[in-house]
Amino acid sequence: MGIRKRLVGSYLLVILTAVIILVAILITAVNYYYYHNIERILVQQAELSASFYEQYFKDADLEQQAPHLLQGFSHHFAGQVQIISSAGRLLEDSSGLQPGQSMLGYLDVRKAAAGKAGLWRGLDPAAEEEVMAVSYPLLTGSKVVGAVRFVTSLQETKETVRQIAAILIGTGLIVVLIVAAVGVLLSRTITQSITGLKHAAEQIADGDYGARAEKQYDDELGALADTLNVMAGKIQQHDRLKNDFISSVSHELRSPLTSIKGWVVTLKTSRLNGKVRLEEGLDIIESEADRLTGLVDELLDFSKLEDGRMVLSRSPLHLADFLGRIGQQLRPRAERQGILLEVKAAERLPVIWGDENRLKQVMINLLDNALKFTERGGTITILARPDEAEARVVVAIKDTGAGIPKDELPNLTQKFYKGNHKRGGSGLGLSISEQIVRLHQGQLKIHSELGKGTEVLIYLPSIEARPE
Ligand SMILES: Nc1ncnc2c1ncn2[C@@H]1O[C@H](COP(=O)(O)OP(=O)(O)OP(=O)(O)O)[C@@H](O)[C@H]1O
Ligand SMILES: [Mg+2]
């Protein structure tokens, strides 16, 4: 069942119940009011008549005085008046009913004969309509000598009550109809937003990540639309990153493979025509294979970091030695590129608690970037100094290279983010480095000025700060 039907259905059910209860209460009240009123009038008349009899006629013979009494009693009463003997026999009747018949069949008469006021409501056999009757004993001293009976037809009252009930029921129905119409309109505003959301969600599910849900109201559904849109935006961004990543990785894989393939072909043909450049070719094939392995390792590391499978194997690490070794390892490449590579470690550096291989990976990533973006004649400095106030060490890798535009700075550590340049790379280096530093409870910060150079700062806690 649609949500619209459910909403309207529940509106209707609630209002229908309320209207039915209300109408039922009103009809009962009207009913009670009318019949009670008639009863009150009858009883009043009967009481008045009985006390009148007691005052002025108690010594007279009832049977003889009956016609006079009847005249007096029916003077102010529109209905039927009867005088009944103590034996329950009809003596006089204002509607012309033949006297003589026994009235003991009526409950009110029997009660009056027993000395109490009696009330009866039922079908009158003569007129064949519903009537209400009140009988009152006529007393002489404490002896019941007869009864006076007031009877009135309920036909008119019944009709009035029926009309009022019809009006009430009709009004109730109109109210229900109006509420139903309003409910349909109101539910449309809700279902419209839901339908809009559903439509947008379906489009997104179908791969149209550019689809957006329209926010109609500032309520929960509006918030849901916002969430959906944020989600779609993220999916879109990830989708774009994934595509960029695939194309850059394929490109990265392709260039070493092309070069390996090229050299294999060269070696084959040069062997045929006798010019052997074996040494040079194998060197290049080896370095290209290393590049491929490096790239694949980077991808594996990345996936490990992503799902938290990377575990550090930490030991005490002396930074001065460590940085010296890295400097030595990269100096040949720096010399080849005509770049000066300096390592300046302060005398007394705190020992840190780190995973040597992972930190080496970080340093090589950062130095690779520095070497990649620095021109011939530039300088790269590795600087290490204690930051005693914080019980940590700062390692800075500073180059005099291209620098990074300000608007790119916040994106650098995002995975697969590459600046707008033609130099190779998968855009994972900084992202992986930052995560490794963070696993060491450290911090990585990048300062850069376009055209002047870049400085990457790594803060690592010293071994004293190690949580045990
Ligand atoms: N020292 C630097 N000088 C100028 N730009 C830099 C420097 N280091 C990083 N960048 C910019 O930051 C981007 C991201 O660097 P990152 O190391 O994450 O990726 P990459 O070097 O492009 O690829 P990879 O390191 O995976 O081979 C680079 O593409 C470059 O635009
Ligand atoms: Mg890099």
Side-chain angles (χ1 to χ4, degrees):
M1 187 157 62
I3 194 153
R4 178 103 177 263
K5 273 191 196 153
R6 262 201 342 240
L7 274 175
V8 176
S10 34
Y11 281 145
L12 268 185
L13 199 68
V14 168
I15 202 70
L16 208 64
T17 316
V19 165
I20 287 177
I21 291 175
L22 207 69
V23 167
I25 289 176
L26 281 176
I27 290 178
T28 315
V30 166
N31 215 30
Y32 176 80
Y33 170 78
Y34 271 85
Y35 287 106
H36 188 73
N37 230 11
I38 292 174
E39 187 185 316
R40 212 168 37 88
I41 291 169
L42 287 181
V43 168
Q44 242 170 29
Q45 287 282 343
E47 258 173 12
L48 223 67
S49 306
S51 71
F52 178 78
Y53 174 83
E54 223 182 327
Q55 260 178 34
Y56 303 105
F57 287 88
K58 65 174 180 208
D59 299 322
D61 177 41
L62 181 65
E63 220 153 312
Q64 270 178 15
Q65 294 302 325
H68 299 291
L69 282 173
L70 184 73
Q71 216 171 21
F73 291 166
S74 59
H75 199 70
H76 298 294
F77 186 67
Q80 191 182 2
V81 185
Q82 297 173 325
I83 311 282
I84 296 162
S85 76
S86 58
R89 221 158 34 81
L90 183 65
L91 296 177
E92 281 295 330
D93 182 296
S94 68
S95 67
L97 210 66
Q98 200 56 43
Q101 62 176 347
S102 169
M103 299 295 283
L104 285 176
Y106 297 106
L107 181 76
D108 56 311
V109 177
R110 281 209 300 278
K111 267 197 154 174
K116 277 178 271 174
L119 176 85
W120 175 76
R121 199 174 140 182
L123 208 65
D124 182 40
E128 284 197 334
E129 55 180 32
E130 215 187 324
V131 294
M132 188 184 277
V134 167
S135 294
Y136 233 80
L138 298 175
L139 300 172
T140 301
S142 58
K143 187 168 162 266
V144 179
V145 294
V148 60
R149 189 171 190 244
F150 288 84
V151 184
T152 187
S153 161
L154 292 178
Q155 215 58 20
E156 223 173 283
T157 315
K158 251 168 82 177
E159 186 56 31
T160 311
V161 170
R162 244 210 353 254
Q163 275 171 5
I164 293 178
I167 291 174
L168 285 176
I169 291 172
T171 315
L173 278 178
I174 291 174
V175 168
V176 169
L177 283 180
I178 292 175
V179 169
V182 172
V184 169
L185 286 181
L186 281 182
S187 70
R188 183 172 292 165
T189 64
I190 294 177
T191 48
Q192 255 175 4
S193 345
I194 294 182
T195 318
L197 281 176
K198 180 171 162 263
H199 186 66
E202 277 166 358
Q203 275 179 305
I204 295 168
D206 280 346
D208 177 5
Y209 303 132
R212 290 293 178 270
E214 194 193 334
K215 182 178 179 173
Q216 290 184 336
Y217 302 98
D218 226 351
D219 55 6
E220 286 87 343
L221 289 177
L224 187 58
D226 283 344
T227 314
L228 193 70
N229 290 341
V230 169
M231 190 184 80
K234 284 197 175 148
I235 296 178
Q236 200 174 23
Q237 196 190 9
H238 280 140
D239 197 51
R240 213 169 23 230
L241 279 176
K242 182 198 74 190
N243 291 339
D244 289 357
F245 171 67
I246 291 175
S247 70
S248 74
V249 167
S250 337
H251 181 79
E252 288 299 296
L253 291 173
R254 172 161 275 240
S255 49
L257 284 175
T258 312
S259 138
I260 289 172
K261 165 95 181 190
W263 274 98
V264 169
V265 172
T266 312
L267 290 183
K268 260 187 179 168
T269 50
S270 62
R271 190 190 55 193
L272 287 183
N273 51 32
K275 285 190 262 161
V276 184
R277 290 159 68 196
L278 198 59
E279 204 60 27
E280 189 190 352
L282 288 179
D283 276 352
I284 290 176
I285 290 173
E286 188 187 4
S287 77
E288 293 297 293
D290 284 348
R291 235 173 96 188
L292 279 178
T293 314
L295 185 65
V296 171
D297 284 347
E298 212 174 43
L299 289 174
L300 286 176
D301 280 347
F302 171 71
S303 84
K304 268 194 204 160
L305 279 166
E306 275 297 281
D307 50 27
R309 275 182 296 122
M310 166 122 16
V311 188
L312 298 179
S313 73
R314 297 165 92 160
S315 55
L317 186 64
H318 293 269
L319 273 180
D321 303 345
F322 169 73
L323 294 175
R325 268 177 274 137
I326 286 174
Q328 252 164 22
Q329 189 181 332
L330 283 168
R331 198 152 288 124
R333 174 173 164 196
E335 270 163 15
R336 236 184 359 257
Q337 290 181 224
I339 296 169
L340 181 65
L341 177 61
E342 296 176 314
V343 180
K344 293 182 183 166
E347 287 253 313
R348 287 162 48 84
L349 275 178
V351 176
I352 62 157
W353 177 242
D355 182 327
E356 179 166 354
N357 284 326
R358 291 300 174 194
L359 287 178
K360 185 172 169 191
Q361 189 183 353
V362 171
M363 292 307 296
I364 288 185
N365 261 325
L366 299 179
L367 287 169
D368 173 61
N369 283 347
L371 286 164
K372 207 154 60 173
F373 295 101
T374 305
E375 298 299 319
R376 185 165 284 277
T379 311
I380 297 173
T381 319
I382 306 174
L383 238 151
R385 60 184 162 78
D387 187 357
E388 262 133 20
E390 307 260 358
R392 61 185 186 178
V393 188
V394 192
V395 180
I397 294 96
K398 198 173 171 181
D399 66 52
T400 56
I404 304 163
K406 256 203 168 50
D407 56 322
E408 285 187 17
L409 278 176
N411 301 328
L412 294 181
T413 51
Q414 262 176 33
K415 46 202 168 209
F416 308 130
Y417 181 83
K418 289 170 57 175
N420 199 7
H421 55 76
K422 292 261 147 47
R423 292 166 242 221
S426 59
L428 280 173
L430 278 177
S431 166
I432 291 176
S433 303
E434 202 220 4
Q435 296 196 59
I436 291 176
V437 171
R438 235 191 284 151
L439 278 179
H440 280 87
Q441 288 80 44
Q443 238 185 329
L444 185 145
K445 288 185 185 167
I446 304 170
H447 302 298
S448 186
E449 210 175 319
L450 199 59
K452 290 214 169 141
T454 306
E455 182 178 33
V456 182
L457 295 164
I458 303 172
Y459 297 86
L460 290 169
S462 69
I463 199 163
E464 283 87 50
R466 157 165 60 135
E468 212 64 57

